[in-house]
């Protein structure tokens, strides 16, 4: 019997979901390293983030959750869903609809959204899409630590504007079973110690974390885009979470 192949077959599949402005390409190095570890890996470009889609600006969070459900269904067997940054929104909607869809969810510098959460309620309904802002402005809300000039240039060149309906969407979540899904938080730009304190204090970004039943915490100090600044270490952290 081929022991290596047998072990490989027992590993969960991993679905990688990038945050705002990004497509599946953002995970390339992490995906390669996870495949080298024996995982079946699918990186996702969410609806609204495909530059070739003429209707991308009208994409919704519901459509994004539908897309994740389809990818997970096609993967077969146990699936670990990895959500970076704003991908926490469609991930939370997916888990609210179907808590049994995944074996574990891993939030990368992100976290679960709560009922009533909205990314930007002030975005006017006339705004069709939100482009990647200048890096000086972006750095005020998201750490760029660890990114090279090449990383930033690739980000700028390949970024796709985020659909307005996604940014304005207010989530309606009412299935408490979503909180039973095993979860790993990989904290990059904010240490886990601070994240947990934010959760205890009911901070809107982290309040939902306090309701989770099964949470592992992993510190990976770097900026908000660890798939570029520390790809090998991020792959190792994801693989470790998938083995739990």
């Amino acid at each position: 019997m081929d022991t290596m192949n047998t072990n490989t077959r027992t590993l969960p599949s991993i679905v990688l979901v990038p945050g705002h402005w990004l497509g599946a390409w953002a995970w390339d190095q992490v995906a390669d390293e996870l495949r080298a570890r024996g995982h079946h890996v699918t990186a996702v470009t969410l609806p609204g983030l495909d530059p070739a889609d003429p209707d991308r600006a009208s994409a919704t969070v519901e459509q994004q959750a539908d897309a994740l459900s389809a990818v997970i269904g096609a993967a077969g067997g146990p699936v670990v869903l990895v959500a970076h940054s704003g991908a926490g929104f469609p991930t939370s909607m997916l888990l609210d609809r179907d808590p049994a869809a995944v074996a574990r969810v891993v939030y990368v510098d992100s976290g679960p959204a709560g009922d009533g959460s909205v990314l930007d309620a002030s975005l006017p309904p006339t705004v069709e899409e939100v482009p990647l802002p200048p890096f000086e402005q972006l750095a005020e809300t998201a750490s760029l630590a660890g990114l090279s000039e090449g990383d930033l240039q690739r980000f700028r060149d390949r970024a796709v504007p985020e659909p307005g309906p996604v940014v304005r969407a207010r989530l309606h979540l009412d299935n408490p079973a979503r909180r039973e899904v095993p979860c790993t938080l990989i904290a990059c730009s904010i240490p886990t110690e601070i994240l947990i304190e934010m959760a205890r204090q009911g901070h809107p970004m982290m309040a939902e974390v306090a309701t989770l039943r099964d949470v592992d915490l992993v510190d990976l100090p770097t900026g908000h885009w660890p798939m570029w600044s520390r790809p090998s270490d991020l792959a190792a952290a994801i693989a470790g979470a998938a083995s739990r």
Side-chain angles (χ1 to χ4, degrees), residues 21 85 109 135 137-145 189 223-225:
W21 307 297
S85 190
D109 225 34
F135 288 130
Q137 178 182 341
L138 184 62
E140 295 175 3
T141 57
S143 172
L144 301 175
S189 55
H224 188 58
W225 289 272

Side-chain angles (χ1 to χ4, degrees), residues 144-175:
L144 301 175
L147 300 185
S148 67
E149 288 300 319
D151 293 329
L152 293 173
Q153 189 60 57
R154 185 172 63 254
F155 193 1
R156 177 64 60 192
D157 290 343
R158 301 198 66 173
V160 175
E162 197 70 21
V166 170
V167 178
R168 285 187 295 269
R170 189 173 298 276
L171 296 189
H172 299 288
L173 309 174
D174 58 10
N175 186 353

